[in-house]
Every structure is written in structure tokens, then in C-alpha cells.
Amino acid sequence: QVQLVESGGGLVQPGGSLRLSCTISERVFEITSYGWYRQAPGKQRELVASVTFGGTTTYADSVTGRFTISRDNVTQMAALQMNNLKPEDTAVYYCNAKIRTVIVVPTPRDYWGQGTQVTVSS
């Protein structure tokens, strides 16, 4: 069973930076896209950033200019560089990947990590 594992969360002061990483437990045929989502207490999960296989990125308006998503198609890893963090960025961050595990699978399936806590506070 393919698993995604996030790392890099923690406590940081406003204005600080964190880098989240998403690794995959085994080699797969294709990762169509990666996405980073977050969920704050009492709020719905929201898309923060995404990147396609070809490198096309999208960002939520609230993080544009501060966050950068990246992926490495060789190591099949993804990362989210978060700069100038604000208290409102506090949430559990989840990695999502749309994966074709083997070539005979015609359409990608969603996989989720367990989440990593990011807390921005002085």
C-alpha cells in the first residue's frame, strides 16, 4: 500500500520559515500531481498549492508570494517552502498526490499523508 509521509512541521514565530517535505513509501509509475492542503481548527480543508508533473503550479491567494511548491520527478518527492509565515497559516498541512501506481492503472488515484502540524505564534 502506497503511503505518503509529511515532515518538517513545527512551531515558528511570525515572519519565520518552514519547509515541508512529502515522501512516498515506494516507487510508483506516475505521480500526476502533488498538492498541499491545510486544515485549521473549525475550518474546512483548503488547497494551498499544487504542482503538475510538468511543473505547472497554482497557489491560494493567501499564500501567493510567500509559499513555493516544488517536486522532484526522479526522487518522487515534493516540498512546500513557506516564508514570511503568519499566525493565520497555523493548521495541519496535508500532502496529496494523484498516483498511477503501475502502468496498467488507467486513471490516477488520490493518496493522502497523515498531516503535519504548523503553528505560527510568538
Side-chain angles (χ1 to χ4, degrees):
Q1 177 74 10
V2 173
Q3 294 182 331
L4 301 182
V5 179
E6 303 101 335
S7 60
L11 173 64
V12 64
Q13 293 186 343
S17 298
L18 284 174
R19 183 177 178 85
L20 305 183
S21 295
C22 179
T23 59
I24 192 166
S25 60
E26 60 187 75
R27 194 82 188 169
V28 296
F29 170 66
E30 181 182 82
I31 302 174
T32 306
S33 66
Y34 278 105
W36 285 97
Y37 290 72
R38 66 186 181 188
Q39 187 166 20
K43 295 188 177 181
Q44 290 188 334
R45 189 175 297 189
E46 63 173 350
L47 176 64
V48 175
S50 66
V51 59
T52 66
F53 182 85
T56 300
T57 57
T58 59
Y59 296 94
D61 290 343
S62 59
V63 306
T64 297
R66 300 187 298 121
F67 290 11
T68 303
I69 189 172
S70 61
R71 64 180 290 167
D72 186 322
N73 290 333
V74 175
T75 61
Q76 296 189 327
M77 293 178 60
L80 184 69
Q81 178 67 41
M82 305 185 294
N83 298 328
N84 190 22
L85 283 160
K86 303 176 180 181
E88 51 264 41
D89 294 319
T90 296
V92 178
Y93 284 70
Y94 297 90
C95 177
N96 167 270
K98 300 186 187 304
I99 298 173
R100 292 174 62 194
T101 51
V102 292
I103 193 170
V104 297
V105 174
T107 56
R109 173 192 161 188
D110 275 318
Y111 289 82
W112 291 89
Q114 80 288 351
T116 185
Q117 178 70 45
V118 171
T119 302
V120 185
S121 175
S122 55

